[in-house]
Amino acid sequence: MKGLFSALLVPFNENGELIEQGLREIVRQNIEVQKVDGLYVNGSSGENFMLSTEQKKQIFRIVSEENNGAVKLIAQVGSVNLNEAVELGQYATELGYDSLSAVTPFYYKFTFEEIKSYYETIIEATGNNMIIYAIPFLTGVSMSMAQFDELFQNEKVIGVKYTDGNFYLLERLRKRYPDKLIYSGFDEMLIYGAISGVDGAIGSTYNINGQRARQIWDLCQEGKITEAYEVQHVTNDLIEKVLDLGLYQTLKEVLNVKGYQAGTVKKPMASMDESKKAAVAQLVKDFNL
């Protein structure tokens, strides 16, 4: 379960319907072109929180079929609706996903005891492993060391997707829990996670820039930090341009330019402005994507 995981993009048509063949193509290119070690399915990059339960199940099934055991699969099943999270967790477990993951419940100001109960309920109902998805800048939920201590007491909680800029807490977690999996969640800070001893990383830009992410990762493992920084600089130049043009719209348009059926984003997100498509095509050339 160590290594680099793409936070999988999901293609939709203008009516918000899943493009099945496009999803299969994106899965294959992540495995065969980007050379990732695994796929993180139905996370933020998959526009998960705008999907119906049935759409989420459809995505889990198609990805499992297309992957066919090639790489590790993590199913993000988190939801403010706990019954849905359990249903999705059971379904992904039946499909053979290697682990579940769940974002901390958000919007309402849940207490830590409520958050802990949420994870315990999903684990008990599925019997599967759980990777906590900590992303405080989107959920508003920041967990302390003492709270991670409580969650990690459950042997089924095998790790955390750590999308947080608090590198002091990351260092403390790494030292105290050498046997738990810690995944870095910020693509633009991969190098800092790597030199802090994380076990891997999960990123949306790996769908198009996985090869550079692999270079950064491998160089850090070899202690070649100066060289790794050079690749991170290029990666961050790319990320800046992607963010300027629109994150998910641009990632999908890059894949469209390269001949994959990546479709568009799901409303209420706005489709890519036609005037920006030439800039995306130039991005593909400039960064040899």
Side-chain angles (χ1 to χ4, degrees), residues 48 54 81 95 137 146 160 168 197 207 211-212 216 234 275:
N48 173 77
E54 288 310 308
N81 181 336
L95 289 172
F137 83 100
V160 57
Y168 171 70
N207 285 272
Q211 293 181 25
R212 282 196 184 90
I216 295 167
V234 175
S275 66

Side-chain angles (χ1 to χ4, degrees), residues 48-49 53 56-57 60 75-93 100-103 105 118-119 121-123 125-126 130:
N48 173 77
F49 304 107
T53 303
K56 294 173 187 179
K57 285 184 172 182
F60 281 139
Q76 198 293 123
V77 300
S79 172
V80 178
N81 181 336
L82 182 54
N83 290 335
E84 181 192 45
V86 167
E87 182 180 344
L88 291 172
Q90 291 171 333
Y91 185 70
T93 300
L100 304 180
S101 181
V103 67
Y118 159 91
Y119 284 115
T121 300
I122 299 170
I123 291 168
T126 64
M130 173 61 67

Side-chain angles (χ1 to χ4, degrees), residues 5 40 42 50 52 94 124 149 164 178 182 200 208 247 256:
F5 286 67
Y40 188 86
N42 276 337
M50 296 182 285
S52 70
E94 290 169 4
E124 183 176 354
D149 284 339
D164 192 339
I182 302 177
I208 66 167
L247 176 57
N256 285 326

Side-chain angles (χ1 to χ4, degrees), residues 12-38:
F12 301 100
N13 64 24
E14 294 291 345
N15 295 321
E17 299 163 335
L18 177 69
I19 304 173
E20 177 171 342
Q21 182 56 34
L23 179 57
R24 292 183 184 276
E25 291 174 6
I26 293 171
V27 168
R28 296 311 312 169
Q29 82 89 29
N30 266 290
I31 296 169
E32 296 171 359
V33 179
Q34 304 304 331
K35 305 289 187 183
V36 295
D37 300 299

Side-chain angles (χ1 to χ4, degrees), residues 134-147:
I135 183 166
F137 83 100
L138 286 182
T139 62
V141 179
S142 294
M143 286 189 290
S144 67
M145 190 70 196
Q147 290 170 337

Side-chain angles (χ1 to χ4, degrees), residues 139-276:
T139 62
V141 179
S142 294
M143 286 189 290
S144 67
M145 190 70 196
Q147 290 170 337
F148 275 114
D149 284 339
E150 283 198 49
L151 293 173
F152 282 167
Q153 285 177 15
N154 189 322
E155 64 178 13
K156 288 288 189 178
V157 177
I158 62 172
V160 57
K161 180 186 177 188
Y162 189 85
T163 310
D164 192 339
N166 184 344
F167 283 90
Y168 171 70
L169 179 57
L170 174 61
E171 181 273 333
R172 293 287 83 188
L173 284 169
R174 179 73 295 165
K175 182 176 185 293
R176 187 172 300 185
Y177 296 103
D179 297 326
K180 296 289 187 182
L181 294 166
I182 302 177
Y183 299 99
S184 174
F186 278 129
D187 303 16
E188 62 271 32
M189 294 192 282
L190 173 58
I191 188 170
Y192 305 112
I195 63 180
S196 296
V198 298
D199 298 290
I202 300 169
S204 58
T205 63
Y206 302 168
N207 285 272
I208 66 167
N209 195 51
Q211 293 181 25
R212 282 196 184 90
R214 174 71 62 195
Q215 286 180 294
I216 295 167
W217 181 257
D218 288 349
L219 287 167
C220 286
Q221 305 313 304
E222 296 165 10
K224 298 177 180 178
I225 307 304
T226 300
E227 292 93 329
Y229 264 112
E230 291 305 312
V231 185
Q232 186 73 67
H233 292 328
V234 175
T235 289
N236 287 358
D237 289 342
L238 170 62
I239 290 173
E240 281 187 353
K241 292 182 182 297
V242 168
L243 292 175
D244 285 344
L245 291 166
L247 176 57
Y248 301 127
Q249 295 89 337
T250 303
L251 295 179
K252 288 184 175 183
E253 185 59 22
V254 166
L255 292 175
N256 285 326
V257 168
K258 291 171 65 64
Y260 301 101
Q261 298 180 65
T264 186
V265 291
K266 193 171 176 67
K267 294 176 181 178
M269 286 187 183
S271 298
M272 168 149 278
D273 191 313
E274 288 292 328
S275 66
K276 295 181 178 180

